[in-house]
Amino acid sequence: MSGPLLSARGVTRRFGGRVACHDVSFDLWPGEVLGIVGESGSGKTTLLNCLAGRLVPDGGAVTYETQSAGSVDVHRLSEARRRLLARTEWGFVNQDAREGLRMGVSAGANIGERLMAVGARHYGEIRREAADWMARVEIDAARLDDRPGTYSGGMRQRLQIARNLVSKPRLVFMDEPTGGLDVSVQARILDLLRGLVGGLHLSAVLVTHDLGVARLLTHRLMVMQGGRVVEQGLTDQVLDDPQHAYTQMLVASILPV
Amino acid sequence: MTASQPALRVCGLAKSFTVHAQGGLSLPVLHDVALTVSPGECLALVGPSGAGKSTLLRSLYGNYRADAGSIRVRQDEGWIELVGAEPRTVLDVRHRTMGFVSQFLRVIPRVPAVDVVAEPLVRRGADAAEARQRAEFLLAMLGIPARLWALPPATFSGGEQQRVNIARSLIVDYPILLLDEPTASLDAANRDGVVELISQRRDAGAAIVGIFHDTAVRDAVATRVHEVVPPVTPSGAAP
Ligand SMILES: Nc1ncnc2c1ncn2[C@@H]1O[C@H](COP(=O)(O)OP(=O)(O)OP(=O)(O)O)[C@@H](O)[C@H]1O
Ligand SMILES: Nc1ncnc2c1ncn2[C@@H]1O[C@H](COP(=O)(O)OP(=O)(O)OP(=O)(O)O)[C@@H](O)[C@H]1O
Ligand SMILES: [Mg+2]
Ligand SMILES: [Mg+2]
């Protein structure tokens, strides 16, 4: 493929009178990981949800280059087609793993469900692959039949990542995948994501307020303030030579990353 | 590649920093910098502390954003302009053509030293076992004891981390190498190992730009010197 995988043009979303995200445009190319950083309330989650078709923007458009059906306007797809896309070509890692998992079924079923969505039918193979992914995210395969409610927060997050990546999506949206976890669990998840993103050659849009996470996982960075993108560029360039006053403040206010 | 064709051409390069926390104070550093480096050459940047040597080197790598001018890199029989380039263009040049040895290693949590070193080669599609072997060879050559190879470098000494960093940047035969004080925290024996590796790369045809505070190191590796002139602060303004 020669063009971008995902394109946003002028994406704008308001809640009541308040602008949550304003006039955001960018292209995401295959294999790229784009980070979105900014303070709380700056519109990161709103933008991510607009990109993934979970929230309808008031203005602008999001275009996605599908595997086999050419490019589509994400917000003009029927609900059924958007859901199909979300299950087969995309992944979405929620900040709260409980929202991204089905809490009423076993861990194995959580992983297997995604495989079935992309056509797997052989029960033994689905189970084997689910067990293999449990190992990849460092969860004891003996816990395969347990429900996620019996897992710790860090295990749940790793399970959510396995559920999303097992079907080898082309594009993954992640909202604070390490938020709310203690530092050693964060390091494990980051290490895991780093290996998977590099190894599967997937593209991703990653929302984080942690510049260290952004440095480690992303190629490019967008800095948001008050719903607007105030600066974007190569991740190390934005962090080491920030141009905008807000980015300089953000970089200066944390420990070296 | 023709031997006479340069690998890197810089002209009219300008770079200043605007510090918003200080009322938008503008700090000019580089003005109208021009240089050309050919394969087999090692250009040493010299100048007093604060002159802008590291700023120049980082600008060449796209780590700092140039304000004006041109940085062109030879790749695929053509020239790639880096000033104003898209991130993916810069990343592609870093991936295939230009390596950078920074002064400090950025530690990646949980990743063993040998994999930190092997990573750039693996990312280019090399066989994992082969990349590991090459990484071990480089680590041994740089005097990192074998018992440390499987450990994440977070707890290594400054000099050990720096050598891991050097090994990581030299594992790929980049046609262009940028070095910011690669021997700064090394003892004499380890310094000689690094000098040997850099000289080998130069003689094999790499185009190198480096900052070497140690004059013995500079004399051993550099083929030419480029003076970085300290910025002139406007009269009346605080430096
Ligand atoms: N469903 C909603 N209804 C009303 N206002 C909303 C809604 N969702 C978001 N907002 C508002 O939009 C703005 C942006 O919110 P958003 O959740 O995108 O921020 P964020 O950058 O993700 O913040 P955080 O880092 O805290 O998650 C905020 O002012 C928020 O209060
Ligand atoms: N990211 C940055 N933001 C703001 N100012 C910077 C930045 N990087 C460098 N500078 C400033 O640019 C000037 C040149 O610094 P630079 O590090 O390039 O000098 P140098 O010649 O490498 O010095 P040394 O020999 O001490 O390493 C200094 O005044 C420095 O404070
Ligand atoms: Mg949010
Ligand atoms: Mg310096």
Side-chain angles (χ1 to χ4, degrees), chain A residues 240, chain B residues 17 27 29 48-55 64 181 213:
Chain A
D240 294 338
Chain B
F17 295 99
L27 183 81
V29 178
S49 178
K53 303 180 294 297
S54 296
T55 299
Y64 281 3
E181 302 190 32
H213 272 172

Side-chain angles (χ1 to χ4, degrees), chain A residues 13-16 18-21 38-47 55 95 175-176 207 209 224:
Chain A
R13 170 74 203 210
R14 293 179 207 91
F15 290 105
R18 167 182 280 151
V19 175
C21 101
E39 68 198 352
S40 181
S42 57
K44 306 182 295 294
T45 297
T46 302
L47 174 60
L55 201 59
Q95 173 167 2
D175 195 355
E176 304 275 8
V207 165
H209 63 263
M224 292 188 72

Side-chain angles (χ1 to χ4, degrees), chain A residues 213-224:
Chain A
V213 170
R215 163 97 68 186
L216 207 58
L217 291 179
T218 70
H219 300 119
R220 281 163 58 196
L221 214 52
M222 256 171 25
V223 183
M224 292 188 72

